Amino acid sequence: MKKLISMFLCFMMTFSFFGGASNVLADNVVASIGNKNYETMQEAINQAKDGDEIVQLADIEEGSKLEFKNGGKNITWNMNGHTYESIDPYDVLKISGPKLTLTIKNGTLKSEQSESYGVYAYTGADNLSLLLDNITFSTPDQTVGVQGQNSNQNVTIQNSDITSVKSTAIYFPPKSGTLTIDNSTVTAVNQSIVIKGGNVIICGDNTRLETTGEGKDYDGPYQGGSMNFPKTGNAIYVEDGYKDRDIKLTVEGGTIISEKNQAVLFNSFEKNPSHTREVSITGGIFSSDVNRYLAEGIQLTQTKEGYVANPIATGIILNKTSANMQIGDSLTLKATVE
């Protein structure tokens, strides 16, 4: 009997020992794909296959930029309410592989390094589909950007908060593709968004673009490099200069504010452009007069909130055209503005 008790205690001690070792290992785990755990986010990214979801399991601080090198995949990074902080001096996340579909959702990305970008699609990352959903993202320099030599760059920012502490929040100059800002806040110093190519859509009543920096004259166009990057103080700044791509901006709603310059500015440096150059406002509230950009059938009204763009009323329809009434009766009519 004593021998059996001794063997049982030995077994329990051994079980406890290995259980303790397992818990120590769990403390180092930061992400998982299915039942597989990873000690770094980059390792999880490298191992992710098409259709996989990477689930972040803890707050992370890593010293080197994350990179999606291998394209041709559809990957979701579910931050699961956690924070990822990069202390790489230049980037938080680099996209270098083509044909990547990437969703990043439900968390906080940030860098406090003095020259750090956020997520950036480098040359060769064509046919990109990037979705930031319910993300708070803060960096000193460009928080979201793509390369001007890339094609089919599709970026959607929804229900998110994007902040550039020192510079421009979003840079969008591709040969083709669509940037959509939907019910999100974009805050910056020089510009909330710089547009040099592609199709850009600003929508959602809760969208707010705000720029705080000084308005400066700019004699571009921007040709690359950090020294002559636009610093106009406009919330939305559009310029041509690339002669091989269309540019179209549509503002459907939201609040667009420049504290010290114009809310929207299209600066053209081409005399006879061969491609589309279009800025169209169909709705929204603006800190400055944007009459020159209004779409047909839209009017601008100055209010305490700012300059409000709304459709021009063409008539009023009542819910009733006739009614039988006695003296002393009351009738409430509902009017719909066309």
Side-chain angles (χ1 to χ4, degrees), residues 188-191 211-216 232-234 258-261:
V189 177
N190 297 332
Q191 297 96 187
T211 302
T212 61
E214 296 286 345
K216 297 181 180 180
T232 67
N234 303 112
S258 169
E259 290 189 2
K260 300 173 182 176
N261 206 340

Side-chain angles (χ1 to χ4, degrees), residues 53-269:
E53 179 180 69
I54 303 169
V55 179
Q56 188 169 332
L57 303 176
D59 292 344
I60 301 172
E61 180 182 288
E62 290 187 352
S64 59
K65 73 186 74 174
L66 297 176
E67 182 172 3
F68 283 84
K69 299 179 182 179
N70 302 318
K73 299 178 181 179
N74 185 340
I75 297 173
T76 297
W77 174 5
N78 183 356
M79 300 188 72
N80 201 25
H82 292 293
T83 295
Y84 180 92
E85 180 173 2
S86 171
I87 55 175
D88 182 86
Y90 300 114
D91 294 303
V92 175
L93 174 61
K94 175 180 180 179
I95 298 174
S96 55
K99 298 181 180 180
L100 177 68
T101 298
L102 175 62
T103 297
I104 307 176
K105 63 182 183 179
N106 304 330
T108 299
L109 291 158
K110 68 177 185 177
S111 172
E112 297 180 354
Q113 305 304 303
S114 61
E115 298 181 3
S116 177
Y117 284 7
V119 55
Y120 197 89
Y122 283 80
T123 303
D126 291 318
N127 302 301
L128 170 67
S129 180
L130 172 65
L131 170 62
L132 301 180
D133 184 11
N134 191 28
I135 289 293
T136 299
F137 204 162
S138 175
T139 59
D141 211 331
Q142 295 173 31
T143 311
V144 179
V146 303
Q147 230 289 331
Q149 298 307 310
N150 290 349
S151 299
N152 197 26
Q153 305 289 278
N154 300 294
V155 179
T156 299
I157 300 172
Q158 64 185 28
N159 307 313
S160 294
D161 188 347
I162 307 299
T163 303
S164 172
V165 177
K166 295 182 179 180
S167 181
T168 293
I170 300 174
Y171 179 48
F172 197 72
K175 293 179 180 179
S176 62
T178 299
L179 167 67
T180 303
I181 310 295
D182 182 9
N183 285 314
S184 294
T185 299
V186 182
T187 308
V189 177
N190 297 332
Q191 297 96 187
S192 294
I193 306 175
V194 172
I195 303 165
K196 285 180 63 66
N199 182 34
V200 178
I201 301 170
I202 312 296
C203 59
D205 292 340
N206 294 325
T207 288
R208 182 181 179 90
L209 310 184
E210 184 169 1
T211 302
T212 61
E214 296 286 345
K216 297 181 180 180
D217 293 333
Y218 183 69
D219 58 1
Y222 175 61
Q223 300 290 349
S226 59
M227 297 301 294
N228 66 335
F229 193 82
K231 298 178 181 179
T232 67
N234 303 112
I236 303 176
Y237 176 69
V238 186
E239 70 167 33
D240 50 27
Y242 288 122
K243 299 181 179 181
D244 61 345
R245 62 204 64 188
D246 295 336
I247 301 173
K248 184 176 181 181
L249 165 66
T250 303
V251 182
E252 300 175 358
T255 301
I256 318 297
I257 296 175
S258 169
E259 290 189 2
K260 300 173 182 176
N261 206 340
Q262 299 174 66
V264 180
L265 176 64
F266 171 43
N267 206 354
S268 178
F269 300 100

